[in-house]
Amino acid sequence: MTSLDPVLDKDGVRLTVEDAVATVTLTNPAKRNAQSPALWRALTEAGRVLPGDVRVVVLRGEGKSFSAGLDRQAFTPEGFDGEPSFLDMARGPEAELDATIAEYQEAFTWWRRNDLVSIATVQGHAIGAGFQLALACDLRIVAEDVQFAMRETSLGLVPDLTGTHPLVNLVGYARALEICATGRFVHAEEAERTGLANLVVPAGQLDGAARDLAAALLAAPRDAVVETKALLSGAVSRTYEEQRIAERAAQGRRLRDLAGITD
């Protein structure tokens, strides 16, 4: 399948598809791709409307910054047009607040589906929600000017858009705590050294590097990549023996499939 026209283009999010590769672009560079509830709903919708033959999803942001994080308008009394302000939400019932945050989190969860491999290409600022959106992806290619930061604590908040789990898995508890509690910047060299970034390239080479990585990921049979991703993503929660069992079961499925044996 090849689509030259956007499958989705709304609220600062554009989704295009070319064969087995989808590209999700944040399209509000004038505001450094600041995020809002409307943008989160559009990201959730992008995941839902992905064609079934898409295998790789590339996430990118237009302009000099990937995403400067949550639009601070959320904390003003008026909030966004047609949206309750975060201050009003906080005054409401606790169950409703929890449900609303859970809805927002959906924009960050689908990127790690086993049937997809997601790649974030990150330049400039990736702050707060922007950092967490990059962390939502499986892989990250970053520009030499990248500046990651988790600034929620400076606002008296916590990171709540699913970023804490992948951050701890990538850099370890102690470094994750230090990054979040201080809100400091993590630059390209540290990002690559600690595992936050798979690759560092000049900003002008981000899109090309993503295309090259996508092509390499597509070279292997889809089912083998899906099974391998499931094995690796579940490894942290399994014991050594449980992982051995999971490996045997997955390999058995692959061998039966290659032999043309159906259950």
Side-chain angles (χ1 to χ4, degrees):
M1 169 181 182
T2 299
S3 174
L4 300 178
D5 297 321
V7 177
L8 175 77
D9 194 354
K10 61 188 294 188
D11 296 321
V13 175
R14 183 173 63 243
L15 167 65
T16 57
V17 178
E18 185 174 1
D19 299 320
V21 180
T23 301
V24 176
T25 303
L26 307 180
T27 61
N28 192 3
K31 296 193 75 171
R32 295 192 299 166
N33 297 312
Q35 299 180 30
S36 66
L39 180 141
W40 293 333
R41 285 192 289 270
L43 285 175
T44 299
E45 185 177 347
R48 290 174 179 163
V49 301
L50 278 180
D53 54 356
V54 167
R55 294 180 54 188
V56 176
V57 181
V58 177
L59 171 64
R60 58 188 299 277
E62 289 183 347
K64 295 183 177 180
S65 291
F66 174 74
S67 174
L70 178 64
D71 191 323
R72 295 296 182 89
Q73 188 174 336
F75 294 103
T76 63
E78 62 272 15
F80 302 101
D81 289 342
E83 303 273 358
S85 76
F86 281 23
L87 300 177
D88 288 339
M89 286 165 43
R91 299 184 183 102
E94 185 174 341
E96 290 184 12
L97 177 60
D98 183 79
T100 299
I101 296 173
E103 178 188 350
Y104 295 162
Q105 288 177 329
E106 291 181 13
F108 297 75
T109 56
W110 63 266
W111 305 89
R112 289 180 180 256
R113 284 167 27 189
N114 284 339
D115 61 321
L116 304 170
V117 178
S118 54
I119 306 167
T121 62
V122 188
Q123 78 282 6
H125 291 97
I127 310 297
F131 191 4
Q132 293 187 78
L133 187 55
L135 287 167
C137 293
D138 296 305
L139 309 172
R140 279 153 297 281
I141 302 172
V142 307
E144 294 169 336
D145 68 347
V146 75
Q147 298 183 66
F148 290 115
M150 203 73 84
R151 289 292 177 84
E152 283 80 356
T153 50
S154 66
L155 300 173
L157 302 171
V158 301
D160 67 334
L161 297 172
T162 78
T164 57
H165 190 275
L167 182 62
V168 171
N169 282 344
L170 288 166
V171 305
Y173 161 75
R175 189 179 297 271
L177 174 61
E178 180 251 331
I179 287 171
C180 292
T182 65
R184 69 173 178 85
F185 285 115
V186 177
H187 299 280
E189 185 277 331
E190 182 182 357
E192 186 174 37
R193 173 168 46 85
T194 58
L196 280 173
N198 296 84
L199 181 66
V200 177
V201 299
Q205 297 179 18
L206 273 178
D207 290 340
R211 285 193 297 269
D212 290 345
L213 180 53
L217 292 167
L218 293 173
R222 180 172 195 165
D223 288 345
V225 175
V226 170
E227 290 276 15
T228 299
K229 181 176 178 180
L231 274 175
L232 295 174
S233 63
V236 174
S237 61
R238 299 188 191 107
T239 65
Y240 180 75
E241 183 58 30
E242 288 170 342
Q243 186 70 0
R244 289 179 61 208
I245 294 170
E247 288 175 358
R248 295 199 301 269
Q251 192 71 303
R253 287 191 294 271
R254 297 304 312 127
L255 289 170
R256 287 193 297 273
D257 183 65
L258 292 173
I261 299 172
T262 58
D263 295 329

